[in-house]
Amino acid sequence: MTNAIGLSLPIAVGLALAAMPIVMLSVLLVSARPVRVSCAFVGGWVCGLVAAGAVVLTVVDVIAFTTEPTWWVGALKLTLGIALVVIAVRKWRARPRAGEEVTLPRWMAAARTMTAGPALRLGFLLAAASPKNLALVAAGATVIADATPRVHEQVVALLVFAVVASLGVAAPVAVRIAFPDRAERVLGATGEWMTRHNAAIMAAVLLALGVVLIGNGAATL
């Protein structure tokens, strides 16, 4: 189990860093809505990660149970690594240039009027249905399934993965609760900085994770 957690942890940290637009949305929710709305969003995000990871684990376990040898695990890691590199290149090319004004997407700006129910559903969908996030969750779940065949160990490792991958999304809520008087100023400055630099940071993180997965997958083929 410790091996599964250790191998999947870098991907979880990468997901936490690569989810900067989601963190920006969380900042908006914390700044504009009651804390319960932000908590609902974070809860939906965690549930989405766990649900998507559980589906991938189940599929990988079923295929591994009926297929020998398990060369396809290496092929899957290689494919996911290439996908992350492609996404990284697209993010880098789409980054705002110097002096270019950065505006929030309409769906993110709508967070200012969002209630708990829609926030919960949005968090779930962003975690489980976003191609970038889904690719990272699939990579983490595949690494976990490859590291241990024991279901209970896979479940624990997946829960740890989801918690670590949610640290960035949950951080604004924690700041709001811990420092209610200073949260608006701190989160406002943080949100502005992330809006400007999130594409470049996401590209770097995705590229690094993609290269690691490509190397790992090629080594096991």
Side-chain angles (χ1 to χ4, degrees):
M1 181 172 64
T2 55
N3 188 41
I5 294 174
L7 291 174
S8 64
L9 205 56
I11 300 175
V13 173
L15 178 53
L17 294 175
M20 289 189 71
I22 317 303
V23 177
M24 286 158 43
L25 177 57
S26 185
V27 169
L28 283 177
L29 282 171
V30 168
S31 302
R33 308 301 297 160
V35 173
R36 62 183 177 83
V37 178
S38 303
C39 290
F41 175 78
V42 174
W45 169 266
V46 175
C47 290
L49 294 180
V50 173
V55 170
V56 175
L57 279 176
T58 301
V59 172
V60 172
D61 284 344
V62 169
I63 297 176
F65 184 75
T66 58
T67 306
E68 289 293 341
T70 57
W71 58 268
W72 58 269
V73 175
L76 180 57
K77 292 179 183 178
L78 184 62
T79 302
L80 290 171
I82 293 173
L84 291 179
V85 170
V86 171
I87 295 173
V89 172
R90 292 180 60 185
K91 291 291 182 184
W92 177 257
R93 295 180 64 180
R95 74 191 188 282
R97 301 302 191 269
E100 183 179 345
E101 184 179 354
V102 181
T103 57
L104 291 175
R106 290 183 180 180
W107 64 270
M108 192 176 293
R112 297 185 185 279
T113 59
M114 193 171 291
T115 57
L120 177 68
R121 292 190 292 271
L122 180 60
F124 185 94
L125 289 174
L126 287 173
S130 168
K132 168 181 63 66
N133 296 334
L134 187 57
L136 288 168
V137 174
T142 301
V143 168
I144 291 172
D146 189 37
T148 175
R150 298 180 178 87
V151 175
H152 69 281
E153 293 184 352
Q154 291 179 353
V155 171
V156 174
L158 178 60
L159 291 176
V160 173
F161 176 90
V163 169
V164 174
S166 302
L167 292 178
V169 177
V173 183
V175 171
R176 171 73 178 274
I177 294 174
F179 307 102
D181 297 332
R182 292 179 287 173
E184 185 173 352
R185 178 175 56 83
V186 173
L187 293 176
T190 302
E192 182 179 347
W193 184 86
M194 287 191 298
T195 301
R196 168 59 59 181
H197 300 289
N198 85 88
I201 295 176
M202 285 173 59
V205 171
L206 293 173
L207 179 63
L209 290 175
V211 170
V212 170
L213 283 174
I214 289 172
N216 194 306
T220 55
L221 285 176

